[in-house]
Amino acid sequence: MTVSVATLGFPRIGLRRELKFALESYWSGKSSLAALQTAAAGLRALNWSRQKALGADILPSNDFSLYDHVLDTSALIGAVPTRYDWSGEMVDPDTYFAMARGTQGALSSTGCAHAHDTTAMEMTKWFDTNYHFLVPELTAGQTFRVASTKIFDEYAEAKALGYATRPVLLGPVSYLMLAKGKAVEPLALLPQLLDIYAEILSRLAKLGAEWVQIDEPCLVLDLAADQRTAFERAYARLATRGPKLMLTTYFGGLGDNLDLIADLPVHGLHLDLVRAPDQLDLALEKLQPHVLLSLGVIDGRNIWRANLPDLYWRLKAIAAKRDLVLAPSCSLLHVPVDLALETSLDPEIAQWLSFAVQKIEELAALARALNEGEDASFAAFSASRIAAVARQTSPMIHDPAVAERLAALDDSAIRRSAPFAARREAQQRRLALPAYPTTTIGSFPQTPEVRKARAAYIKGEIDAAAYDRFLRVETRAAVKWQEEIGLDVLVHGEFERNDMVQYFGEQLSGFAFTRAGWVQSYGSRCVRPPILYGDVSRPKAMTVDWWRFAQDQTDLPVKGMLTGPVTILNWSFVRDDQPRESSCRQIALAIRDEVQELEAAGAAIIQIDEAALREGLPLRRGEWQHYLDWAVECFRITASGVRDDTQIHTHMCYSEFNDIIRAIGAMDADVISIETARSQMELLDAFASYAYPNDVGPGVYDIHSPRIPAEREMTDLLALAGKHLPAPQIWVNPDCGLKTRKWDEVRPALEAMVAAARTMRIRGAYHGR
């Protein structure tokens, strides 16, 4: 029996974010398409070489993407919405990036000629991760054809370099389940789509591909009868098209779908044994002996080092009876590239960690021990064992004072003192806001000058006083400009913040930070998630001084800006030695302290962003209520200690709000702002159906695209919002924070947004809250 090592996907961005810089250079017109393609080819070659050298036997191809792998699949099958004026031939880079980023006027997002203004495709979270994908758009009469050669080209590219890869392909059923249909149920298009998938697999076989990794992550969801039938039909058709199929599932357990899979005529099955370790025994019982098992035993989504001796003893008897593939639980897209770059990280913490490179090394050591005996990986096993013991016994992890404070919480800590209607009256008396009040979500552009000043401060090239003076100049200018254009509720711009989670984590106990621990969020957007390793508390105020400085510049209200506990949790690499809700409650108490200190300083409006609440929702409905109960409780802990006339805002990113609308209501924020521009206000359906009583700020400016929306476009969106909500409930704001945009985009967009709000006031002859 043989144990081999596979990777399901490797980080695309490069060791030092080379892809980000190549993309942004191309988009800005500073470099050519050829230069971008050369940079991308270099990253792919380096990724294959690195994985092979680390001990991976089975390498992926087509896991690389210039923007998003779901968008790549749409291009592959020719699923291009009509608004992009696609010719119907191969999907060219201009069309591809227009789908991702939209187009502006007579120029595309890449600077190439394009017929008209075009909005980007809708974006949402990839299952329960912080990665965003472009939602496929399908229509009645939809046709498919092979319209991209990327998957074939990259297989051939690897082969020319001497690597026999296993191409990665998003499965047809998951693709359709993730799509939005207009006048069509996406799954009804399966027969036509299977024709194209059969052609793709046949072409890969002719190129020499022996196996194809076909990803069907929707198999870990609750499936309706028609969805189960779709899987049966799909793989009855595709299993005989040439290459062997490694049916790949991740982010959870198969549960009652295992019986379905056991009957599919696939050649291999990948199981996520990190999220669902208990499914292995049942899988061994139900699967035929000829099915090659790929076991996801190393966490592809978190950065904690595995306990290799424990895994060895768990797998030893199985490996003696059948061939196995060892792999990460999912693609390594979700973790940083290499821990070796973290030379300034506390060594005690660093020994507990494992990034993409180290995870492949762990897999290789485990496979070597299973193939040759435990002594073959003696050094790796010894280091793993020492690190596990050190982490369990470290005094850095536990703080008795935090545990005592949590134990003392009672019901009064999660209740506002008055219902929303009474609070609303008190807040209007204090704030005197007009109808359709205008605001932004928090951040303003992090310009090259802002980033340069921050880097100079970090490197010691300027002192704290000089950096503070720079930030004050930027903040003062932003506040004055907001006054000039007529915004009603201002923000300070967050120029001092590197990231909405990292900024707070750096000031809370229990967090550690990397210098190069970047992961992709979408396109060229990368984040460095904090590492939550221990108990959390707030040693001192984090935002009060900057709020006070900004408020001193104006008579208009300035929002205090905080990130909520659930978002800090979900956008961090979270400790795995206690329940997530325990860590979240600790963070909630720390943020509560900050909220109360902002209020004491005079803040009339405090925003506690919960952008990531929806993405933490478990994938199985049976587990939803438990998560939502503690997530809502944690938000209410942060927000319930203020007076009635202090207005609490929250913000949520792209979400299917139907799933969580009751929980949103239970949060009892006075105002919630949401991303709705790309969906044309469709997401407000949930708020209308639920009769959501509190105020809502539906986004009218898509900040994930460089497009500058016109006043008419935003007025039309507000009119659509008015079909769902009464005018007194509606706020006017962008979809999200503006840190990734440029000032020459933001200025005209926000000026148009203010003008749109004024137009709506005139139309409705409604002038008061």
Side-chain angles (χ1 to χ4, degrees):
M1 300 293 103
T2 302
V3 178
S4 56
V5 171
T7 52
L8 309 185
F10 198 76
R12 308 159 180 164
I13 58 174
L15 191 63
R16 292 178 172 82
R17 293 181 293 160
E18 292 89 346
L19 179 60
K20 170 187 175 67
F21 301 122
L23 281 167
E24 293 175 357
S25 177
Y26 172 59
W27 291 337
S28 68
K30 295 177 182 178
S31 62
S32 66
L33 176 62
L36 173 62
Q37 291 171 334
T38 298
L43 286 170
R44 290 192 294 270
L46 185 60
N47 285 351
W48 289 319
S49 173
R50 179 181 284 127
Q51 292 172 85
K52 191 67 175 178
L54 291 168
D57 305 299
I58 303 167
L59 308 180
S61 59
N62 200 46
D63 59 319
F64 183 88
S65 176
L66 288 176
Y67 204 95
D68 165 49
H69 60 277
V70 183
L71 178 62
D72 291 349
T73 308
S74 294
L76 172 62
I77 63 175
V80 180
T82 57
R83 65 182 178 276
Y84 298 108
D85 293 334
W86 178 48
S87 67
E89 300 301 321
M90 292 291 109
V91 174
D92 59 279
D94 191 38
T95 300
Y96 178 87
F97 286 123
M99 293 164 72
R101 308 178 74 233
T103 61
Q104 182 74 60
L107 292 179
S108 76
S109 58
T110 61
C112 303
H114 203 275
H116 52 266
D117 257 11
T118 312
T119 57
M121 294 174 68
E122 186 177 339
M123 189 162 62
T124 195
K125 297 296 178 68
W126 179 243
F127 294 83
D128 57 350
T129 76
N130 189 32
Y131 176 80
H132 301 66
F133 75 95
L134 276 300
V135 179
E137 299 176 20
L138 306 174
T139 60
Q142 180 79 47
T143 60
F144 301 110
R145 61 182 300 274
V146 175
S148 169
T149 60
K150 175 182 179 294
I151 189 171
F152 313 116
D153 295 343
E154 292 182 10
Y155 176 82
E157 182 181 311
K159 191 173 184 179
L161 293 172
Y163 305 112
T165 60
R166 186 175 67 185
V168 180
L169 178 62
L170 178 60
V173 183
S174 289
Y175 178 84
L176 292 174
M177 288 177 64
L178 295 170
K180 290 181 67 172
K182 186 175 182 180
V184 67
E185 168 54 48
L187 276 180
L189 300 170
L190 182 63
Q192 301 96 297
L193 186 57
L194 290 179
D195 290 341
I196 304 306
Y197 267 74
E199 179 182 346
I200 292 165
L201 293 173
S202 294
R203 289 178 63 172
L204 286 169
K206 290 177 182 177
L207 288 171
E210 182 181 355
W211 283 85
V212 169
Q213 174 186 318
I214 193 155
D215 287 3
E216 290 284 11
C218 286
L219 280 166
V220 305
L221 306 179
D222 297 310
L223 296 179
D226 62 330
Q227 294 166 337
R228 297 172 70 89
T229 298
F231 279 109
E232 291 169 347
R233 291 176 177 172
Y235 289 94
R237 172 85 186 276
L238 299 180
T240 59
R241 300 311 299 180
K244 297 177 183 177
L245 300 183
M246 175 59 73
L247 186 64
T248 303
T249 66
Y250 39 80
F251 300 153
L254 297 173
D256 56 354
N257 298 328
L258 182 57
D259 287 332
L260 164 69
I261 293 172
D263 291 333
L264 298 181
V266 294
H267 307 84
L269 175 64
H270 175 80
L271 300 172
D272 182 341
L273 297 184
V274 174
R275 281 290 187 93
D278 295 338
Q279 67 179 327
L280 178 57
D281 289 342
L282 194 57
L284 289 169
E285 175 187 324
K286 290 182 176 290
L287 295 175
Q288 295 296 319
H290 70 270
V291 175
L292 179 62
L293 269 180
S294 172
L295 305 183
V297 293
I298 299 293
D299 197 340
R301 289 186 51 175
N302 212 334
I303 44 69
W304 303 109
R305 190 172 189 165
N307 189 320
L308 294 180
D310 282 1
L311 287 173
Y312 171 79
W313 287 108
R314 182 180 174 201
L315 298 175
K316 183 179 179 182
I318 303 170
K321 297 177 181 178
R322 64 190 299 163
D323 291 340
L324 293 176
V325 177
L326 302 184
S329 58
C330 60
S331 169
L332 294 172
L333 168 71
H334 308 286
V335 296
V337 178
D338 192 356
L339 183 62
L341 294 182
E342 304 302 331
T343 55
S344 61
L345 195 62
D346 185 320
E348 182 172 1
I349 296 172
Q351 69 172 322
W352 306 336
L353 308 181
S354 175
F355 292 178
V357 163
Q358 288 70 40
K359 289 178 185 296
I360 300 175
E361 290 176 332
E362 288 179 305
L363 288 166
L366 184 57
R368 188 165 54 250
L370 290 169
N371 284 324
E372 304 172 23
E374 187 176 6
D375 288 347
S377 293
F378 177 80
F381 277 32
S382 296
S384 174
R385 189 179 293 110
I386 290 169
V389 172
R391 185 175 170 212
Q392 290 170 358
T393 58
S394 173
M396 299 176 68
I397 291 178
H398 301 293
D399 182 349
V402 173
E404 290 172 11
R405 191 176 179 200
L406 279 174
L409 278 178
D410 59 25
D411 194 58
S412 65
I414 58 172
R415 298 278 187 274
R416 296 288 294 269
S417 61
F420 171 70
R423 300 198 310 264
R424 195 173 195 272
E425 290 182 6
Q427 292 160 16
Q428 182 59 15
R429 286 194 298 270
R430 181 179 183 183
L431 297 168
L433 295 170
Y436 296 98
T438 55
T439 189
T440 63
I441 304 304
S443 60
F444 277 141
Q446 294 267 319
T447 62
E449 292 76 19
V450 170
R451 294 194 297 269
K452 182 179 178 181
R454 182 182 299 125
Y457 173 61
I458 292 171
K459 294 175 183 176
E461 297 170 358
I462 61 173
D463 61 18
Y467 185 47
D468 186 75
R469 286 194 297 272
F470 170 83
L471 293 174
R472 286 173 181 266
V473 168
E474 295 292 313
T475 302
R476 185 183 293 112
V479 170
K480 293 303 180 186
W481 178 75
Q482 292 173 81
E483 282 187 322
E484 290 169 5
I485 68 168
L487 284 167
D488 301 304
V489 175
L490 314 186
V491 297
H492 77 286
E494 303 183 11
F495 301 106
E496 79 285 3
R497 303 186 188 184
N498 41 21
D499 176 82
M500 66 180 289
V501 172
Q502 183 178 349
Y503 178 78
F504 291 94
E506 286 176 343
Q507 300 181 78
L508 296 170
S509 64
F511 284 89
F513 295 86
T514 64
R515 290 292 181 88
W518 298 99
V519 296
Q520 185 183 29
S521 180
Y522 63 88
S524 67
R525 169 76 169 142
C526 303
V527 295
R528 276 186 302 163
I531 299 168
L532 200 176
Y533 67 85
D535 288 344
V536 179
S537 61
R538 186 195 75 139
K540 61 180 182 179
M542 301 178 285
T543 67
V544 176
D545 287 345
W546 280 112
W547 173 84
R548 185 181 285 117
F549 174 77
Q551 187 64 79
D552 286 346
Q553 312 305 309
T554 181
D555 292 328
L556 295 172
V558 176
K559 289 192 285 190
M561 297 300 306
L562 305 174
T563 302
V566 183
T567 296
I568 291 176
L569 183 87
N570 285 335
W571 287 358
S572 298
F573 291 124
V574 180
R575 58 190 290 190
D576 57 359
D577 61 338
Q578 70 176 12
R580 290 172 67 87
E581 56 261 42
S582 299
S583 294
C584 198
R585 289 189 179 95
Q586 295 176 1
I587 302 168
L589 283 176
I591 300 300
R592 178 186 176 94
D593 293 342
E594 189 72 11
V595 168
Q596 293 181 323
E597 196 156 343
L598 279 167
E599 183 186 54
I605 304 177
I606 301 170
Q607 182 168 310
I608 308 167
D609 287 345
E610 283 296 13
L613 189 140
R614 170 63 177 80
E615 77 185 43
L617 196 66
L619 300 179
R620 294 281 187 158
R621 283 185 177 268
E623 302 169 12
W624 282 11
Q625 197 57 53
H626 174 70
Y627 166 78
L628 290 171
D629 286 347
W630 65 254
V632 169
E633 177 188 298
C634 287
F635 178 83
R636 293 179 68 131
I637 288 170
T638 68
S640 294
V642 298
R643 300 189 307 267
D644 293 344
D645 65 352
T646 297
Q647 192 171 77
I648 297 294
H649 288 223
T650 192
H651 170 70
M652 290 188 181
C653 291
Y654 289 113
S655 296
E656 293 298 329
F657 293 113
N658 284 308
D659 295 339
I660 59 170
I661 190 63
R662 291 187 180 277
I664 292 173
M667 290 169 69
D668 198 26
D670 299 305
V671 183
I672 180 173
S673 57
I674 58 175
E675 300 193 32
T676 53
R678 288 196 183 189
S679 74
Q680 295 292 297
M681 298 291 161
E682 286 181 8
L683 295 178
L684 289 179
D685 287 344
F687 290 83
S689 299
Y690 178 68
Y692 184 77
N694 300 19
D695 288 358
V696 181
V700 295
Y701 167 21
D702 174 16
I703 66 86
H704 297 294
S705 166
R707 288 185 67 252
I708 302 168
E711 176 190 341
R712 172 67 179 275
E713 182 179 330
M714 289 191 270
T715 304
D716 289 346
L717 285 172
L718 288 170
L720 285 174
K723 295 181 179 181
H724 299 272
L725 300 170
Q729 277 186 267
I730 298 175
W731 283 63
V732 182
N733 45 259
D735 263 346
C736 199
L738 299 164
K739 67 176 290 186
T740 61
R741 302 268 54 93
K742 299 176 181 178
W743 274 112
D744 59 4
E745 299 163 356
V746 167
R747 288 191 178 98
L750 291 186
E751 288 168 357
M753 187 187 81
V754 171
R758 289 172 176 161
T759 297
M760 294 302 294
R761 291 168 194 160
I762 294 169
R763 284 186 184 179
Y766 173 70
H767 301 289
R769 298 292 294 160

